Amino acid sequence: MSGQARSCQGPRPGQPPVLAHTPATLCPWPPRSAGVRLEPRSACSHLGVSSEGGRGGQEGEPAAAAHTPAGAGRPGSGQAGAGRPSCPWPAGAGEQDCEGSPGSSSRSPAAVRPRPPACCSHRLLLASFLLLLSSPAPAECGNPDAKRLYDDLLSNYNKLVRPVVNVTDVLTVKIKLKLSQLIDVNLKNQIMTTNLWVEQYWLDYKLIWDPDEYGGVKMLHVPSDHIWRPDIVLYNNADGNFEVTLSTKATLHMNGLVEWKPPAIYKSSCEIDVEYFPFDEQTCVMKFGSWTYDGFQVDLRHLDEKEGTNVVEMGVDLSEFYMSVEWDILEVPAVRHEKFYTCCDEPYLDITFNITMRRKTLFYTVNLIIPCMGISFLTVLTFYLPSDSGEKVTLSISILISLHVFFLLVVEIIPPTSLVVPLLGKYLIFAMILVSISICVTVLVLNVHFRSPQTHKMAPWVRRVFIHILPRLLIMKRPQYQLNKHSLWSSNGNSKPLNRMTDGPFSTTCRIHGATNIHEDAYTLENSDKSPTFRPFQHNLPHCSPEVHRTCWCVNFIAEHTRLKEDSTKVKEDWKYVAMVLDRLFLWIFTLAVLVGTAGIILQAPSLYDDRVPLDKELSEVYRPRRFNN
């Protein structure tokens, strides 16, 4: 450690003294530029004690010689005082001045020099610390054999030339993907973002060595920028970086095998099929190949490829895969392709990794499918609501608006494609069409409900179909309710009703308007456009006074008006019953339509019948400990 560790030690016996070239404010050893040799000295050299327990200076010198001023020593005498600087700390430190100063002549030569001040000690420690930091690292901190191997391998290495003996030789490069995380599958932009490791292996004959010649070193890690690398890129890249951006170190083996496993985050283009969204399966491909070399220069193969086949069932390593919250990995095959172009005779190789994913539908089922189905089934309740409530159309329009809101949410999720309508979009369109038809039917039912004999006349087939036939088919039974008719009771108090005006005291003896039958006159009044007026009474019987005839006519008019009102009310009730039958008919029709439409649209997704176990749950070592702990 000569020349590296500097301490305040005196010269060893038999060696020339150290010249004093250090300023007074620093440690008293000379700098490296002084051209003198530095020797280690003990910490007690300023007291004249050598590192071996003796006094400073040559053997046999008295102890006082250690305290001789710097100018008192004889040249070449070898005394310790000849190599000591004039003052190791600044002057003016009180009575503790340096030897040889004007105030030190009165001291005894054998007196021990006092302890230097604290400020100088601190400076000495700081200077020692800085020197230790600036000193070069010892050789024991690194492997000299590995350094020598690195220099021998890469001193004349050309990383721009393909590492083959003959230019016609084919270099075999094997790759494999290790999928770490499926970051995102953007349906709108049709981009799949993955975090993976691109493992690459090839043989470089220029990187072969004998471990016995380099201390048994069999493996060496070198920066990948210093060696030749195959320019493997992602062909279907959707981002600006087609190749690996992080240049990690490569591993060199003694037989020339080179391993390079750089991590990368790729954004690859993926054709999204949204026909069965959200019960869909997507297959995204990642196509890797050499951008520069053709198949006669670089033979690209999969690491696990077997002879005689170009397909590898497990083309992607899922041992370090973190489970995705939205997708399950079903298949990860890899296929090697050889493609010939019309411009060239040589083949161009690529390896295509197919990642088949199945969407986890819990989120969409809870937040989209179930609310949409519930709103669709509310359409059925529109026909169960009584028409007299006046809220049938309001309920239908509210359901239609709710479906429109859900449709807007789905439009924000699914990609804007014109090739196919998604499954959820089909169901929402079906529900909106169903609600729109229910509004039209509701308006028709309300029109039938509020019909009257003054505006509409019920056809015989309507009465037969909707009053006699359909109620039996729809399990409806109309209650037999008879209205209480106005009748006159006999004077003797019995319960036998009188037959209008024929059995009472006002029998046919009362002649109104000259009519022989009071009913005839009443219908005449009904069919006339003018208001009924009294005509002169015909006194057929002298015992009936005009007041009695007028009273008899008024009572008969009231009775006939009541009868006509009852008949009109009966016709209105028939129209209401027809409307009720229509409501019940459309209730069953829409119930079946909602059930059949929901089952026919939702259940046509093939992923609902796919019972394959996801590969990531079986192969992922990250998921396995968590599963066992649960």
Side-chain angles (χ1 to χ4, degrees), residues 7-10 41-47:
S7 59
C8 299
Q9 293 181 349
R41 295 176 294 174
S42 62
C44 55
S45 61
H46 65 279
L47 298 178

Side-chain angles (χ1 to χ4, degrees), residues 153-167:
L153 290 178
L154 301 179
S155 58
N156 297 321
Y157 187 88
N158 189 354
K159 64 179 182 180
L160 302 178
V161 179
R162 188 166 52 99
V164 290
V165 178
N166 298 321
V167 70

Side-chain angles (χ1 to χ4, degrees), residues 198 287 377 469:
V198 185
K287 186 177 181 181
F377 277 99
I469 298 177

Side-chain angles (χ1 to χ4, degrees), residues 178-182 195-197 317-318 320-323:
K178 176 179 284 188
L179 186 60
S180 177
Q181 185 180 5
L182 183 62
N195 181 11
L196 47 83
W197 299 352
D317 187 2
L318 299 177
E320 301 293 336
F321 180 74
Y322 288 89
M323 300 290 295

Side-chain angles (χ1 to χ4, degrees), residues 65 119 173 198 229 238 275 333 373 387 489 504 598:
C119 61
V173 177
V198 185
R229 296 178 304 180
E275 182 179 0
M373 292 177 61
S387 300
W489 302 88
T598 301

Side-chain angles (χ1 to χ4, degrees), residues 356-503:
T356 303
M357 303 169 292
R358 182 177 59 197
R359 188 188 302 273
K360 297 179 180 179
T361 59
L362 179 61
F363 172 80
Y364 298 96
T365 302
V366 173
N367 295 280
L368 289 179
I369 301 297
I370 294 179
C372 186
M373 292 177 61
I375 293 176
S376 300
F377 277 99
L378 288 178
T379 308
V380 177
L381 299 179
T382 304
F383 302 101
Y384 196 75
L385 189 66
S387 300
D388 293 328
S389 63
E391 300 294 336
K392 294 173 71 69
V393 179
T394 304
L395 178 60
S396 300
I397 295 177
S398 300
I399 295 173
L400 185 62
I401 293 175
S402 301
L403 290 175
H404 273 288
V405 172
F406 273 93
F407 191 77
L408 293 177
L409 293 177
V410 174
V411 169
E412 292 295 330
I413 297 175
I414 61 178
T417 176
S418 300
L419 301 177
V420 67
V421 180
L423 187 69
L424 185 58
K426 292 180 182 178
Y427 184 72
L428 288 175
I429 293 175
F430 163 75
M432 286 190 293
I433 293 175
L434 205 65
V435 174
S436 301
I437 295 176
S438 70
I439 294 176
C440 299
V441 173
T442 301
V443 173
L444 176 62
V445 171
L446 290 176
N447 181 273
V448 174
H449 178 81
F450 290 102
R451 286 186 179 183
S452 63
Q454 287 80 15
T455 58
H456 295 82
K457 183 178 180 181
M458 183 178 294
W461 68 270
V462 174
R463 182 180 298 276
R464 179 174 178 82
V465 173
F466 292 98
I467 295 180
H468 299 289
I469 298 177
L470 283 181
R472 291 196 299 267
L473 298 177
L474 299 175
I475 317 177
M476 296 178 63
K477 185 176 182 181
R478 186 177 185 183
Q480 298 295 329
Y481 178 73
Q482 298 291 339
L483 295 176
N484 293 327
K485 296 182 179 181
H486 179 72
S487 59
L488 297 176
W489 302 88
S490 59
S491 59
N492 55 6
N494 57 6
S495 58
K496 181 179 180 181
L498 299 177
N499 187 7
R500 299 181 187 265
M501 302 295 296
T502 58
D503 298 334

